[in-house]
Amino acid sequence: MCGITGYLGHREAYPIVMNGLQRLEYRGYDSAGIVLSDGENVKLFKTKGKVSSLRKIAEKNDVHGNLGLGHTRWATHGIPNDENSHPHFSNSGNIAIVHNGIIENYDTIKKELIARGYTFKSDTDTEVLVNLIEEVKIKNNCKLGKAVQMALSTAVGAYAIAVFDVNEPTEIIVARLGSPIAIGIGENNEEFFVASDASPFIEYTKDAIYLDDEELAIIKLGKEIRIRKIKDDSFVEPHIQELKLNLEQIEKGGFKHFMLKEIHEQPHAIQDTYRGRLLASKGIIKMGSVDNNIGKFLNANRIIIVACGTSWHAGLVAEYLFEDLARIPVEVEYASEFRYRNPIINKNDVVIAISQSGETADTLAAIKLAKSQGAFVFGVCNVVGSSIARETDTGAYTHAGPEIGVASTKAFTTQITVLALMALKLGNLKGEISNSRFNTFLQEMTLIPSKVEELLKINSEIEKIAAIYKDATNCLYLGRGYNFPVALEGALKLKEISYIHAEGYPAAEMKHGPIALIDEHMPVVVIATKKGHYDKVVSNIQEIKSRNGKLIAIVTKGDTIVKEIADHVIEIPETVEPFTPLLSTIPLQLLSYHIAVMRGCNVDQPRNLAKSVTVE
Ligand code: F6R
């Protein structure tokens, strides 16, 4: 949930760490801090608020130094204030730490340390950890790496940490359990970079090591990186990967916000998702991880999907896809509920975990539970090498490219694309979809990117509708069938970035309660595309109109009936019913984006949120 970054080498650390923090700010933005060492002096700057506030404070001071650690925080223990901001120091002032994660037994450790005379300035679990490291180091008269290793053996929880000793500013120790950390390696080991993801250092090196859980790395100038297992001290051969990320992907590229850029990237992102998998001219879908486990899928009693938030909504779309196209029963579970309710999991169940970040703690825990009960677990992730990608038995990447805006957009449509390919493939193999229907689907999928492109052109029309409803206090989203999860997703997008209360419902459920909310002040967004129980949705629309609700309807191009009734109509291109969510979701993303901008909200970093939720 927090972002950590660091530099050790021959350059000035400040600009590298500070720019790195800016790139990692999507992970948390309650407070920010940086510590620098020039070999003799240590400089610490930290503040409540954003990286930009930190920059203003730091730049009035001496920021020289070749070692730096930075942190951008999403508060867990202790309110966002200066004191609780990272980096934290041990009581002696000798050891500095930045931490992403939670030390669950911090209270017990803190009491023991207080009994030994330690004092604490902050309410954080991190300050407890850094003092534990100091205590272990003094008691055992050992090196920092060993002290960190021993301290972490007693810590329970999740962490990615970077630590250094101010008396030895040529070394940084990093370790991980449950929270990601990447190490960038400069030429001849003359400089090193540390970060929660590789974005802070891509312009400096393409060589990176991603630590695995329970690994600790000793990074020393001029030396090869040494990696050890925290538990048994065994040596791990460093696995250096070549980064595929480039700078363009993590910059706004002329758009005002990352969210808008990512909405506009969807035609390409969807294409990247099916590229190499959908071979329309040959009439096949090739997915190695599905092909290699085809028996498991074809013999599955049911598919259980676990995910959170927007990914859970993609899971709901997948329920329609797998049941409709492949006739495999599906249950879609909130990962956070699944793991705590003693679920029944059978050997013949296939579990699909969906996650953009691949780091969501609840989803990760659900995967571990499913695996412990013998299920085969398939991951649908965006971030390559993420914890979920590694924890699952196998899986398929969405290849959406980095998603930086906190509100998920292209993650959703690319997840649906992967899941649609899987459902189509299984449906065809099971004989549920004839070859000719299968080929129609494949051809249609190749048209989706241009249809999304076409839809994006009505951006300014949607902006006009946004201007009318920007001051609403409540909003309802309705859809049926494949469009019901889209209604949920539309409502989530609006509430998370504009702070307008919004709810999604299956349109037919209106009459069982929510219709009581309808009056002339209530905007109702209805997805009323052709095919998806259109006539029934039209009746639902009439019911709203007769109660003076304000109707914004998403309809299929050429619609005439809904046009007569609705206050505003947004047309989307026609497609086969199972692919409708790939199109109907786009105007809803744009609507919430424009409303949020007009309300002056921070679209890319909505309050209280963070991009990857690595706490339960
Ligand atoms: C909403 C949003 C969140 C995430 C959820 C799961 O726009 O971004 O609801 O979808 O936190 O995250 P991932 O997909 O990374 O597991």
Side-chain angles (χ1 to χ4, degrees):
M1 293 298 282
C2 302
I4 64 179
T5 185
Y7 176 78
L8 173 64
H10 50 83
R11 303 177 209 241
E12 284 295 330
Y14 176 78
I16 298 170
V17 174
M18 204 51 117
N19 291 340
L21 284 182
Q22 205 82 62
R23 286 181 196 164
L24 292 178
E25 205 170 28
Y26 72 89
R27 302 179 65 86
Y29 33 83
D30 291 334
S31 60
I34 186 168
V35 61
L36 300 155
S37 166
D38 60 14
E40 289 187 0
N41 298 308
V42 169
K43 299 135 207 189
L44 173 68
F45 308 103
K46 48 191 204 172
T47 182
K48 179 182 170 190
K50 305 236 162 165
V51 174
S52 54
S53 312
L54 175 68
R55 201 185 278 275
K56 278 188 199 133
I57 295 170
E59 276 172 8
K60 288 187 201 132
N61 293 280
D62 167 20
V63 289
H64 169 61
N66 303 115
L67 184 158
L69 293 182
H71 189 269
T72 175
R73 179 170 186 245
W74 187 83
T76 56
H77 292 66
I79 57 163
N81 62 18
D82 294 359
E83 212 51 83
N84 289 332
S85 311
H86 300 215
H88 289 284
F89 273 86
S90 62
N91 274 194
S92 69
N94 284 339
I95 305 173
I97 189 169
V98 286
H99 169 213
N100 167 31
I102 289 185
I103 305 300
E104 286 167 9
N105 58 341
Y106 83 104
D107 204 33
T108 318
I109 302 171
K110 189 171 183 176
K111 284 187 182 122
E112 285 168 16
L113 289 171
I114 289 172
R116 288 171 202 269
Y118 282 82
T119 56
F120 294 89
K121 292 183 195 147
S122 75
D123 305 317
T124 64
D125 48 345
T126 308
E127 196 187 7
V128 174
L129 181 59
V130 72
N131 279 304
L132 177 64
I133 294 169
E134 174 150 289
E135 169 70 5
V136 171
K137 187 169 185 292
I138 295 169
K139 213 162 138 192
N140 297 282
N141 190 21
C142 59
K143 291 193 165 174
L144 182 63
K146 192 73 198 164
V148 172
Q149 185 183 353
M150 288 166 81
L152 290 178
S153 309
T154 46
V156 177
Y159 52 78
I161 55 168
V163 184
F164 80 96
D165 183 335
V166 301
N167 300 310
E168 219 171 310
T170 54
E171 181 183 84
I172 297 178
I173 310 295
V174 298
R176 91 159 249 175
L177 176 61
S179 301
I181 192 124
I183 304 168
I185 307 158
E187 269 178 36
N188 306 321
N189 298 315
E190 278 169 7
E191 60 179 349
F192 297 98
F193 307 81
V194 171
S196 299
D197 69 40
S199 62
F201 55 79
I202 43 167
E203 63 264 58
Y204 301 103
T205 179
K206 292 278 180 224
D207 292 338
I209 296 172
Y210 287 88
L211 282 196
D212 268 324
D213 274 350
E214 298 185 342
E215 286 181 358
L216 175 144
I218 299 173
I219 302 169
K220 203 163 174 59
L221 273 187
K223 296 249 167 82
E224 298 280 332
I225 290 178
R226 280 180 295 137
I227 302 178
R228 295 192 170 276
K229 280 275 172 209
I230 292 167
K231 285 240 169 81
D232 62 13
D233 204 31
S234 58
F235 180 72
V236 179
E237 193 62 52
H239 171 55
I240 301 177
Q241 297 184 25
E242 194 192 329
L243 295 173
K244 298 275 184 283
L245 199 65
N246 62 52
L247 207 52
E248 212 175 68
Q249 287 175 300
I250 57 159
E251 287 179 340
K252 284 191 200 146
F255 286 91
K256 216 168 142 206
H257 296 98
F258 280 112
M259 183 181 176
L260 190 61
K261 177 187 175 218
E262 287 154 9
I263 290 173
H264 281 83
E265 279 174 347
Q266 289 175 109
H268 277 118
I270 292 170
Q271 210 168 10
D272 288 345
T273 304
Y274 68 63
R275 179 172 294 125
R277 290 169 169 159
L278 187 161
L279 308 175
S281 57
K282 294 190 181 153
I284 50 173
I285 291 174
K286 210 171 89 186
M287 295 180 80
S289 50
V290 178
D291 294 329
N292 295 339
N293 296 286
I294 201 69
K296 291 200 171 72
F297 281 102
L298 295 179
N299 299 321
N301 284 341
R302 60 181 177 161
I303 291 175
I304 302 172
I305 296 179
V306 291
C308 303
T310 291
S311 296
W312 183 76
H313 295 155
L316 289 179
V317 175
E319 179 176 19
Y320 287 84
L321 289 165
F322 283 112
E323 294 198 344
D324 180 18
L325 301 174
R327 308 301 297 149
I328 304 173
V330 178
E331 281 166 36
V332 189
E333 304 267 3
Y334 282 119
S336 53
E337 288 299 313
F338 177 76
R339 57 173 302 204
Y340 284 121
R341 68 166 172 72
N342 197 12
I344 299 162
I345 306 167
N346 297 310
K347 245 188 25 253
N348 283 346
D349 290 336
V350 166
V351 173
I352 300 181
I354 310 173
S355 174
Q356 186 285 130
S357 62
E359 301 296 341
T360 302
D362 289 317
T363 309
L364 199 51
I367 293 166
K368 287 180 182 162
L369 176 73
K371 273 176 79 179
S372 73
Q373 299 198 13
F376 165 71
V377 186
F378 187 94
V380 175
C381 290
N382 187 33
V383 178
V384 176
S386 56
S387 302
I388 291 176
R390 285 189 286 187
E391 188 65 38
T392 42
D393 292 305
T394 184
Y397 285 116
T398 51
H399 299 304
E403 191 181 66
I404 294 168
V406 165
S408 262
T409 52
K410 61 176 178 170
F412 182 64
T413 44
T414 54
Q415 286 164 348
I416 293 173
T417 304
V418 165
L419 294 158
L421 293 180
M422 290 171 70
L424 285 170
K425 183 177 177 76
L426 296 176
N428 185 235
L429 285 173
K430 285 183 73 183
E432 300 289 349
I433 308 174
S434 67
N435 283 345
S436 75
R437 200 168 154 233
F438 183 67
N439 281 321
T440 309
F441 279 122
L442 299 197
Q443 291 299 339
E444 180 58 25
M445 180 59 94
T446 63
L447 302 178
I448 292 292
S450 58
K451 291 186 179 181
V452 175
E453 198 87 65
E454 186 185 329
L455 248 176
L456 291 169
K457 293 197 181 117
I458 57 166
N459 186 26
S460 54
E461 271 174 53
I462 296 176
E463 202 172 350
K464 284 185 200 138
I465 300 174
I468 300 170
Y469 295 102
K470 69 174 183 354
D471 297 319
T473 45
N474 294 288
C475 190
L476 283 178
Y477 285 75
L478 307 177
R480 291 184 85 137
Y482 279 99
N483 282 321
F484 160 53
V486 176
L488 294 180
E489 175 59 9
L492 176 62
K493 284 294 84 87
L494 186 70
K495 66 186 138 190
E496 69 182 332
I497 61 168
S498 73
Y499 318 140
I500 294 175
H501 172 241
E503 297 296 336
Y505 280 100
E509 274 296 302
M510 276 294 286
K511 53 189 180 294
H512 300 289
I515 200 159
L517 293 167
I518 304 293
D519 62 15
E520 68 278 17
H521 304 297
M522 177 67 91
V524 185
V525 180
V526 188
I527 310 155
T529 48
K530 286 267 165 61
K531 297 182 184 130
H533 320 285
Y534 177 74
D535 295 339
K536 304 271 182 222
V537 180
V538 172
S539 305
N540 301 141
I541 291 176
Q542 298 279 18
E543 289 153 15
I544 297 161
K545 202 61 216 164
S546 1
R547 286 157 183 88
N548 293 327
K550 293 277 175 278
L551 270 162
I552 304 159
I554 314 293
V555 300
T556 309
K557 223 177 192 167
D559 182 288
T560 49
I561 300 170
V562 177
K563 256 190 195 151
E564 294 290 313
I565 321 167
D567 297 276
H568 313 275
V569 163
I570 300 170
E571 289 192 330
I572 67 169
E574 187 158 4
T575 184
V576 292
E577 194 183 352
F579 299 166
T580 313
L582 293 170
L583 303 180
S584 56
T585 200
I586 310 287
L588 305 191
Q589 295 170 347
L590 287 167
L591 186 66
S592 46
Y593 169 78
H594 289 300
I595 290 180
V597 170
M598 288 172 195
R599 288 166 71 93
C601 299
N602 187 337
V603 171
D604 283 335
Q605 295 173 347
R607 70 184 179 208
N608 305 338
L609 291 173
K611 187 69 186 164
S612 62
V613 187
T614 55
V615 293
E616 290 172 35

